[in-house]
Each structure stands twice: as structure tokens, then as C-alpha cells.
Amino acid sequence: MKFQLHSDYLPAGDQPNAIESLVAGLNNQMHEQTLLGVTGSGKTFTMANVIEHTQRPTLVVAHNKTLAAQLCAEFRQFFPENVVEYFVSYYDYYQPEAYMPRTDTYIEKEAQINDEIDRLRHAATQALLTRRDVIIVASVSCIYSLGSPEEYQANVLQIPLHSNMTRELIMHELLSMQFERTSGDLARGHFRVHGEVMEIMPINLEVIYRLEFENGQLLKMSELDALTRRHMRDSEELWLFPARHYMTAPSVLKKAVKGIRAEMTARVTELETQGKMLEAERLKRRTIYDLSMIEQTGFCSGIENYSRWFDGRKPGEPPFTLLDFFPEDFLTIIDESHVTLPQVRGMLAGDQARKQNLVEHGFRLPSAVDNRPLSYAEFDKRIGQRVYVSATPGEIELNQSDQIVEQIIRPTGLIDPEILVLPVSGTKGTPGQVDDLIPRIQERIAFGDRVLVTTLTKKMSEDLTEYLTDEGVKVAYLHSDIKTMDRVEVLSKFRNGVVDVIVGVNLLREGLDLPEVSLVAILDADKEGFLRSEMALIQTMGRAARNVRGQVVLYADKMTGSLNRAIAETNRRRTIQTAYNKKHKITPRSTTRDLSDIRGLFGGVPEDVDVSDVLNIELIAEPHEIKAVIQEKKYAMGKAAQDLDFETAALLRDEITVLEKEVKEKEKKRKK
């Protein structure tokens, strides 16, 4: 299928020119382009139009899971008939394997895998191998080792109806694809057999494939709803992909095991020669155990550390990643490139330092260092044509782009906020920054608007919140110590007017595109540094760019280079925007957003969910009634996760845990 964009509105403002310029650049083989789009200018809509015009599979890279989920949801709205998938790290919690020589402390790898995100990762790779109308929205986990796409595709199982494939042969194939056999409830990547009936749940879908045999011949294949077991459709052919991304042919497996064993022998000898007998014994014991598991099951915990041997790579060669699953002509979009590119650049160094410690002290073979993320140069080489998207592009984008396309005119006609620079320290007849701020806040509240205030430290944000509360202001603070669910609650109250002011250290990471905000106050704006750099200042000031009354107050006793540059750039944009509005007789209007859209910031938490009450459930129902509720909640949890509403799914998961505990306690009492 071709990409077909669906939208209730047409490109406006600078969007038509930006779309035309970017598409022309791609058609003229420009390697790198930058879309310099101000906050609220509709950069995602522009990129959706570029994708439709070019008709190329597309990778969109974002710098965190939350932003990636937002982008994925937006692209799914624009392309409902095409495939838009979500590829991020599948760990809810991850403690990497590490060794600290100074304290002789070994830290075992500890991870909690999010099953739904694992499913989405498989859905992404399978889509790339089967069609072209695919958009993958990914975090920087796309540069980490994933396994060979050739081996993954080579292990796909095709089951035609009325074929000569016996039940035993299909079982053997499924086991070789890392599916697990079970006699209980089916989960993804599992199958079960009862007599002449086999049921399989694929790794990428919450459905059950039911295969019915008679005298060894496959007579019927059907697809069932995983929860209700309702018959959905009959199938003439079934395609199943491997249950894991790391797949190896038997011949390659034997060769890899031989290579690993030879490397172990050489490394153990080397350690013993150096007098490191403990390290040699440790390495030998672990490697022999892993090899035993690989030979018996084709898999072991930490198998990715041996990936070089399975992939047939030479020492130092880059691993296979998600990028290798794309066709050669794919397009790459780097969102918020000023943050994403430095993140990509910094991944390898930290990983290698940790791995070298493990290798040096006998916890891993030297080949483990080749289970790594791509270097920046390797990433750069693999992504081909790309478009950087940012309101504040960094040096890489500005210096290397073949063209920089500006998207300064917003479809709403909004201009960048007015900027005031006022003193931090009070003098005789002049209030200090906090005393000046309070009446400005009260003025905005009178209009029904909201206010954002940024401080330099967490302590200051908490102290200022307490002070403003004493002054009668409805205020809350946000910083990195606040849990995700609590941030959702604060932001919901903020949008609904329960809270009028949010105080924080770095409100950029919250993704706050809130049209109710008409005032942004930056305290201690003259303290040059990361939080007060030109880039950070422009991004923070943009939080007030969605309201027609938008204003920014910078409290500074001296003008720094960053302040001068940020103000100059904002004024340049204001001049262009004002002239455009005057020429086209446009009256600026504030952005509007339904209040429920706050859910989109953190994956879809409903407004009416009271997080504090989730775990305080008291039940008087019978066990069989509770089990029915559990099944319903499991279905709802799967649906929420499918829609990328991971926070809702997490809440439902916690409720299910409580309900299952309640069932066990009731059944235990009955037995007594």
C-alpha cells in the first residue's frame, strides 16, 4: 500500500514552503536537511506530508519513550491505513551487568521486561520485512544490538492449509523458533497441544491460531480472540515469525559454539599466565554453563554477549540493529535533534567502559565488547538521507545540512512571546524577582491563564512553591524526583485549573505544550550554564508560544551571551511573524486542545483515575466472580498497551495483581 495522509486541515503558514523545500531536497539527493520549526508550527504534520510525498519507509528517532509515544500516536492518526510502529527499550527496569574493582562488587544484570513493548518491537521488525508503507518511531535503543535480520527472516514458518506438514513437524519448527510449549494459559510466543488440536499465540499479536488435524493432516486453521476465544476468521495460510530476535541456523550454531569455546580456552590461558587464577576459573565456569544451555536449548541468559560469534562478525565490527531491517532507500527523521544526536553520540563510551571492566576481571569473554550500540560514525553511515527537526538545531545540524528550512510562521498566526528582562535583586524602589513575579502571576490567573516558573535547583523549586502557597497561589512543583504518575496528576490539575502555577527546574523534559500557559518566568536567567544556555532559553520561552497573550520574563542582573543570542533570535522570529500577519491580515489565535489530551503526554492515563486508590481495593465477591473481572481487566490492559497507553496499562496491571492476591487468599480460607 501507499502512504495516504488523513487530516481535517491543509498545510498553512510556513508548512507548504517547508514541505516543498524538503521534498525537493530529498529528490535532489541532499544527504542532510534541517527543519528549523518553532514551537507550535506543526512540525509533525509537515513531516507527515513529506513522508506521503516521498513514499519511503521512515525511521523517526526521538530522545525518550514518552516523546516517541506521542509521535507514534500522531503519525497513526495521520496514517490510519498504513503501519506505524513503536520501537523502544523493552525494559521497565534495567540494571546492567557491571563490576566495580575498587570495592570488588559484582552487580548481576537485573531487568524487568515490559511484555507489551516486546510485542511492539517484534511487530516493528516484522512490518519492515513484509511491506514498505511503514513508519517506525524509535528511541535511541534502535542503535543497540538486535540480531541478524537475515537469520530472523530465514526462520519464518509458513503453514499452508491442507499441507503435508504434520503436527509433530510443526511442533519441532516452533521449538526451533524459540516458541515454548505449555499446558496452561497461552501467552505470546507459546503453543499448546491437546490431541488433534494445536493452539499458537504469535509473538506480535494478542490472538490465538487454532490448528485442527485429522489422521495427521491439517484440515482447518482459524483465528480466535485471545480473551473471549470468539472465532474471528478462518485462514488458508499462516505465517509465524520467531519468538526472539536472536536466531541462528543449526550449522551456524555449531560453528559459533566452537568459536566461543576456542576463545574461552585462549582467554583462560591468558589470564592464568597473568597470574589471575580466580578470574580464569570464574570465566571458565560461566562460559561452560552458557555453552551447555546454548547447545541444549539454542538460548541462554545473556546470549547477546556472544552475538559476534552468531553473526559471524570480526572483532570491532558493528552489530546488527533495527537499522539493518530497513530497505536501502529509507528516510530518517531525527526529532528534537539538538538532544537526540548528542544522546546517540554518547551511548558507546559508557557501554565500552563497563564491558572492559567485566572482561578484565573474568566475568565476560573479550568478544562481549562487540555486543554494543553503534558508534556515532556507524549510525551516521547507516541512516542515509535524513531530516533533523528542532526549534534550536545544534552545531552538527547547522554545519552539515545541505539546506536549512525554516518554519517560523504558525498556522494559527501566533507570534513568539514578548520578552521582558527584569532584575533578580531588589533595590530601593525595585522589587526582587519573587516579589515582582507574584503580581504577574495574579494578573494571569485573573485571565484564567496558567504560569510556568523555572528555577535552578530542586530545593529552590520546593521553597518557592511553599512561599507561593502561603501567598494564596494554587501551585505545585515538578522535578526529576517526582514519579511519572504524580507528574500526570499535577499536569491534569494544571490543565483543569486546580493548579494555576507549576514551578520546576527543567520543564522542557515534561513536553509541556499547554495552550493555557501565557506567562513563563525564568528565575536567575543570567546564570550561564546548561539550564540557561541559548538553546535551553529558547526552548523554555517557547512554552508560552501557544497563547495569544504569551509573555516571557527573564530575571537577570547582567546580560550573558546566551541571553543576548536567545533574545535576538526570538525578536527576529517575531519580526517575520508580525510582518506576515500584517501582509495577510491574519489575527493570531491561541492553540486549543481538549482537556483530556493531557493523557497523551504520558501514554493515556484517564482523567478520572485516582492513582492513590488503585491499591486500596476491597472485595466481597466470590473467587469465580473476581476471576471474571481479572479477565476483563487483562483485556483492557492489553488494549491500553496496544494504543500506547502504557500508564493506564500499568494501573490495570497493579489492579490485577491485587485481585489475584485476593483470589488466592479467599481460596486458601476455603481450603481451611
Side-chain angles (χ1 to χ4, degrees):
M1 293 180 64
K2 289 187 175 182
F3 284 111
Q4 187 170 349
L5 176 61
H6 292 259
S7 175
D8 295 332
Y9 46 89
L10 296 173
D14 269 349
Q15 290 173 341
N17 289 334
I19 294 165
E20 183 181 352
S21 297
L22 291 170
V23 171
L26 290 169
N27 291 337
N28 291 329
Q29 302 305 311
M30 288 186 182
H31 192 61
E32 298 174 66
Q33 300 182 80
T34 293
L35 174 62
L36 194 163
V38 299
T39 301
S41 62
K43 297 186 286 292
T44 304
F45 183 56
T46 296
M47 296 316 306
N49 277 272
V50 170
I51 292 170
E52 184 187 42
H53 279 77
T54 57
Q55 292 293 319
R56 292 162 63 178
T58 302
L59 169 66
V60 181
V61 186
H63 62 88
N64 63 51
K65 291 182 179 182
T66 301
L67 178 58
Q70 290 179 53
L71 289 169
C72 188
E74 289 183 65
F75 279 116
R76 283 182 175 178
Q77 289 179 342
F78 290 138
F79 297 105
E81 298 172 2
N82 307 110
V83 177
V84 180
E85 297 292 357
Y86 181 69
F87 188 96
V88 299
S89 170
Y90 54 26
Y91 295 118
D92 281 337
Y93 168 77
Y94 181 65
Q95 169 60 60
E97 182 183 27
Y99 178 69
M100 294 180 285
R102 183 174 296 179
T103 58
D104 189 26
T105 304
Y106 172 70
I107 302 172
E108 191 85 40
K109 174 184 173 181
E110 190 177 343
Q112 181 179 346
I113 292 177
N114 185 309
D115 191 60
E116 181 57 28
I117 293 180
D118 182 45
R119 182 189 72 78
L120 292 170
R121 286 165 63 94
H122 279 277
T125 52
Q126 291 178 28
L128 287 170
L129 294 175
T130 55
R131 54 195 297 173
R132 281 186 57 83
D133 59 324
V134 179
I135 299 171
I136 306 296
V137 184
S139 66
V140 294
S141 63
C142 67
I143 69 171
Y144 278 80
S145 178
L146 188 62
S148 167
E150 291 184 5
E151 289 296 334
Y152 184 72
Q153 193 166 21
N155 281 275
V156 173
L157 176 63
Q158 178 192 11
I159 307 175
L161 189 62
H162 304 300
S163 68
N164 294 323
M165 298 184 72
T166 64
R167 185 190 64 171
E168 288 71 23
L169 176 59
I170 294 173
M171 288 171 57
H172 174 77
E173 292 292 335
L174 289 172
L175 290 170
S176 70
M177 294 163 63
Q178 300 300 323
F179 276 75
E180 296 181 35
R181 183 173 179 177
T182 180
S183 57
D185 291 339
L186 277 180
R188 292 186 314 102
H190 288 68
F191 72 95
R192 64 186 172 202
V193 180
H194 294 297
E196 295 284 273
V197 175
M198 176 185 295
E199 293 184 332
I200 309 165
M201 185 175 287
I203 197 67
N204 65 314
L205 295 170
E206 293 287 345
V207 299
I208 294 174
Y209 295 127
R210 181 181 174 89
L211 282 59
E212 299 178 32
F213 298 82
E214 186 175 318
N215 298 325
Q217 185 178 8
L218 179 58
L219 294 183
K220 184 178 180 181
M221 292 193 299
S222 52
E223 187 176 323
L224 310 179
D225 183 278
L227 177 68
T228 64
R229 296 188 62 83
R230 177 177 56 85
H231 179 273
M232 298 169 66
R233 63 185 64 87
D234 288 330
S235 302
E236 292 291 320
E237 190 175 50
L238 179 61
W239 290 83
L240 291 169
F241 281 77
R244 292 191 175 94
H245 281 110
Y246 288 95
M247 295 301 301
T248 307
S251 58
V252 176
L253 183 68
K254 290 180 181 178
K255 185 177 180 181
V257 167
K258 184 179 179 181
I260 294 168
R261 187 169 280 116
E263 184 188 15
M264 176 194 69
T265 301
R267 178 59 176 164
V268 167
T269 301
E270 181 183 359
L271 290 171
E272 288 175 343
T273 302
Q274 296 172 0
K276 297 181 177 180
M277 308 307 292
L278 174 62
E279 288 84 351
E281 178 59 28
R282 177 190 290 150
L283 182 64
K284 184 178 180 181
R285 186 170 61 249
R286 158 169 267 181
T287 309
I288 288 175
Y289 175 79
D290 286 349
L291 286 173
S292 175
M293 291 295 296
I294 292 170
E295 289 177 312
Q296 293 178 33
T297 68
F299 193 79
C300 76
S301 177
I303 193 171
E304 64 274 8
N305 288 290
Y306 304 106
S307 61
R308 174 162 68 78
W309 290 106
F310 294 109
D311 297 342
R313 290 181 283 128
K314 296 177 181 178
E317 286 187 344
F320 292 109
T321 67
L322 176 69
L323 305 182
D324 294 291
F325 284 77
F326 279 88
E328 289 186 2
D329 64 337
F330 77 101
L331 170 66
T332 301
I333 297 171
I334 311 292
D335 195 64
E336 301 293 354
S337 57
H338 63 285
V339 179
T340 306
L341 289 179
Q343 195 178 76
V344 172
R345 188 182 289 276
M347 289 292 130
L348 181 60
D351 180 86
Q352 293 296 279
R354 179 175 58 83
K355 292 274 178 58
Q356 289 293 352
N357 256 343
L358 291 167
V359 170
E360 184 180 344
H361 294 89
F363 291 96
R364 287 291 173 192
L365 291 173
S367 58
V369 299
D370 290 312
N371 167 46
R372 59 175 177 82
L374 298 176
S375 68
Y376 185 83
E378 291 164 346
F379 170 76
D380 184 67
K381 183 179 179 181
R382 280 162 176 71
I383 61 174
Q385 284 184 291
R386 79 290 306 261
V387 177
Y388 305 119
V389 180
S390 175
T392 53
E395 290 185 10
I396 294 175
E397 302 95 300
L398 296 175
N399 295 335
Q400 296 181 188
S401 289
D402 298 304
Q403 76 166 334
I404 297 173
V405 178
E406 289 194 329
Q407 189 167 295
I408 293 175
I409 307 300
R410 299 179 175 88
T412 57
L414 279 170
I415 62 175
D416 275 34
E418 175 192 15
I419 298 176
L420 299 178
V421 181
L422 298 172
V424 174
S425 309
T427 59
K428 188 174 182 180
T430 305
Q433 58 183 1
V434 174
D435 291 334
D436 178 84
L437 176 61
I438 291 174
R440 295 182 185 278
I441 289 174
Q442 293 168 339
E443 179 185 2
R444 297 292 163 163
I445 293 173
F447 273 112
D449 295 344
R450 313 283 188 274
V451 179
L452 297 178
V453 183
T454 65
T455 64
L456 281 175
T457 66
K458 297 176 186 178
K459 180 69 165 58
M460 186 176 179
S461 70
E462 294 172 6
D463 290 346
L464 181 58
T465 299
E466 185 178 349
Y467 183 82
L468 292 175
T469 301
D470 291 341
E471 293 293 319
V473 177
K474 294 182 292 184
V475 58
Y477 63 82
L478 285 176
H479 54 59
S480 59
D481 290 343
I482 306 298
K483 294 181 179 178
T484 299
M485 297 309 303
D486 293 330
R487 295 206 302 271
V488 174
E489 189 173 356
V490 169
L491 291 171
S492 296
K493 290 179 178 178
F494 186 62
R495 292 218 62 198
N496 284 291
V498 178
V499 170
D500 291 320
V501 180
I502 287 182
V503 182
V505 177
N506 183 9
L507 294 175
L508 297 178
R509 70 181 187 85
E510 307 297 342
L512 296 176
D513 292 329
L514 306 174
E516 297 85 1
V517 174
S518 68
L519 175 64
V520 171
I522 302 178
L523 305 187
D524 301 300
D526 54 359
K527 301 297 188 291
E528 188 80 78
F530 170 70
L531 293 174
R532 300 294 183 265
S533 66
E534 174 191 354
M535 195 176 290
L537 288 169
I538 292 174
Q539 289 280 348
T540 304
M541 291 189 292
R543 301 308 101 187
R546 294 179 180 269
N547 193 296
V548 72
R549 292 183 293 276
Q551 185 182 72
V552 175
V553 181
L554 301 170
Y555 291 101
D557 288 332
K558 63 179 185 297
M559 294 301 293
T560 64
S562 293
L563 278 171
N564 284 321
R565 290 189 296 272
I567 293 171
E569 174 60 17
T570 302
N571 287 337
R572 181 185 76 87
R573 296 176 182 181
R574 281 174 59 85
T575 300
I576 295 172
Q577 293 157 349
T578 302
Y580 182 90
N581 288 351
K582 185 176 180 180
K583 179 180 178 181
H584 295 87
K585 298 180 181 179
I586 294 174
T587 301
R589 64 185 189 279
S590 297
T591 303
T592 58
R593 174 181 282 181
D594 187 83
L595 287 178
S596 63
D597 281 359
I598 189 67
R599 294 177 296 176
L601 291 174
F602 290 93
V605 180
E607 294 289 340
D608 57 356
V609 170
D610 187 343
V611 180
S612 61
D613 288 341
V614 167
L615 299 179
N616 297 325
I617 302 170
E618 294 185 7
L619 297 163
I620 58 173
E622 292 298 313
H624 71 277
E625 295 173 315
I626 300 174
K627 288 178 180 178
V629 174
I630 290 173
Q631 284 297 98
E632 291 176 4
K633 288 187 178 292
K634 283 184 177 179
Y635 181 81
M637 179 178 69
K639 182 66 171 63
Q642 219 170 25
D643 295 336
L644 305 184
D645 294 350
F646 296 116
E647 302 302 337
T648 301
L651 289 173
L652 289 165
R653 180 194 62 201
D654 292 340
E655 289 186 3
I656 290 167
T657 301
V658 174
L659 291 168
E660 289 176 338
K661 183 179 179 182
E662 185 75 17
V663 170
K664 288 181 181 179
E665 290 179 355
K666 285 181 179 289
E667 290 179 341
K668 188 176 180 181
K669 287 179 181 178
R670 281 191 171 186
K671 289 180 180 179
K672 289 182 178 179

